[in-house]
Amino acid sequence: MARARRSNPRHDGDNNVRYGLRRRKQNTPGSSCITPTRSTRAHPQLMLDDGLHYENLPPTPPVTPQKGSPDSILVSDCHVMAEGRPNIKHLPPEIIQEIAKYLPDDQDAVAYAQLCKVTWAWMNDSEYRRRFLVLYDDIEGSDRVQLAKQYKARAKIARQYVRFDQGLENGQAACLVFLRTLIIESNGQKIVAADGSSTVIGRNFEFMNEYANRADRIGQSGGTNILDAMCRTESLFRSAKHSRSSGKTASLPLLIQLCLLHVSLDPHPGSPLSGAQQRARMSRLHHCHEAQEQVYKCFSHEPIFLGGSRNEINVIWLLHVANFFKFHLLKDDSEGIYADGYINMEKGNLPRAWTGRLKNGAQQLSKRWKGTYCYLPEWELQVARSKSCDFLVDVTGDDNDGFQDLTLFFDIQKHPRLHFPAQAETILHGKPRAPFTDPESGERKWPEVQDFFGLGFDGRHYHFNGRMHTLPPQQAIPGFQRVSMMMYLPQSQGPHANPSTQLWAYEGLVLPGGQLMLGRWWSPVRGVLADGGTYCGPFIFWAVDDAGLEDRSIATVDAALQFLDSVISSPAW
């Protein structure tokens, strides 16, 4: 009678020790279970940064089967196989690596690598590089080993849930550096549909949309509520009013909230949450009354740009503006004055992410823009500044659903009539005040200045002159720019160019990527109010598709010149 082949328990034990595994006896005779250990001989490329191996490997089958039965096995060198059949070590490397693609969890990949020497050998840096490129945009100049190292470090950070609304917590610093790196290294691409509408896609954006937009820990394996905590980062926001400048290290979470404002303003966030949960998250807004009080403050109390050279930004005031418009754009139930029109906008008319990588230096903006502004009657404005009232009703334009459509022209060198007028500079002070150190060359240089001309429509046509210059990186994030504009709006009771023409000055910040700008408008001719301030309010604009332009008559330089021909003379200054 043929004798059944038995594996040597002693030999098996040696193999288990060799591969960082040990057997644990069970109550059932003839069975065993393999549990993980922290073997000092484990391959360093097969472990995440925390050193954990996979748990709950399948139990080992009995080792004394009848020869020839379907359950007959051979245990040799940690390979489990049916007698007479090829085992995993005989598979081509391409198949071994292809199997790894179906293991989404990192710990599953670690367990797979520990099956045997063959999987151990082929689960190397190439697999972790592949996993990196599934989640993140490629890093310029990085090789396979560097991307694998980055993947393991990021995986460790991403598994932890970090809050920003309950004071200082462990993990916040690593989370902020992680998000800043994703912002700087993002490389979005524009996808254009047949109807002319476009969408910006990118792996970094997709990751940040989900990772940074988790309002609570329930049902989440990691992430952060940094975007939901806008104007609610108590230890970093409300107690930091004495350090409102972006030059302070504590401003980094606030700058990240600004850079990802397009995510916060998305009325249809991609999320695994239900529709009711998404609506609840959109409507969860904080300190709206304080935001209204802040956004109507005069620039003498809350300047947008700080420092002797005006190269730092008042990040706290700008976040109040962002929170103010987040309320009015997303808060339904008739509370947000733009919510009905905004939530139902086509995707191409909504704020979106930038394309390409962020960079320093002056950059031309997109041609088409949409946005809005708010104001209070003069007496209510002074009441709001006195802090002696409850929430006031903000007002906006009645036409065009309360929104404005803008077209910007940067190719104006051949058209002197479209150049930035010297009189506007005396009001706007749009030129840079001093040079700064270029972060790439290390040289001191003056920021490059770009002028532009624009046409606008909010139920009536108007034009404006603009000036823009770059700012130094803010907490190592490049791409911020300062913008100044003078808008000329006709009064309904007279021709465009008579003394009743309205002049409105605009000053604001263009966020990195050039897709969003927000700031303050004010009247340069109304004079000082009784409270000692100017008549002013907040504005926000964002880039849109060409297909999103409501009024097609303001689309070309020829249209701009024809519009100026209709003006009898320059407005009175």
Side-chain angles (χ1 to χ4, degrees), residues 342-394:
Y342 181 80
I343 293 175
N344 295 314
M345 276 186 181
E346 296 181 358
K347 189 71 174 177
N349 285 347
L350 296 171
R352 58 190 176 187
W354 58 90
T355 58
R357 299 187 186 275
L358 299 183
K359 55 186 178 180
N360 292 300
Q363 302 156 51
Q364 287 192 7
L365 303 180
S366 299
K367 190 171 185 178
R368 308 281 192 260
W369 291 74
K370 184 177 286 287
T372 190
Y373 63 94
C374 275
Y375 69 93
L376 290 174
E378 186 173 316
W379 70 271
E380 290 188 4
L381 176 64
Q382 298 184 66
V383 171
R385 291 174 178 172
S386 67
K387 305 180 183 180
S388 59
C389 66
D390 293 327
F391 196 77
L392 298 172
V393 178
D394 301 286

Side-chain angles (χ1 to χ4, degrees), residues 225-242:
N225 71 337
I226 188 171
L227 297 185
D228 184 69
M230 181 184 293
C231 295
R232 203 157 56 113
T233 49
E234 302 293 334
S235 62
L236 301 171
F237 183 84
R238 299 174 67 80
S239 62
K241 290 186 177 180
H242 64 284

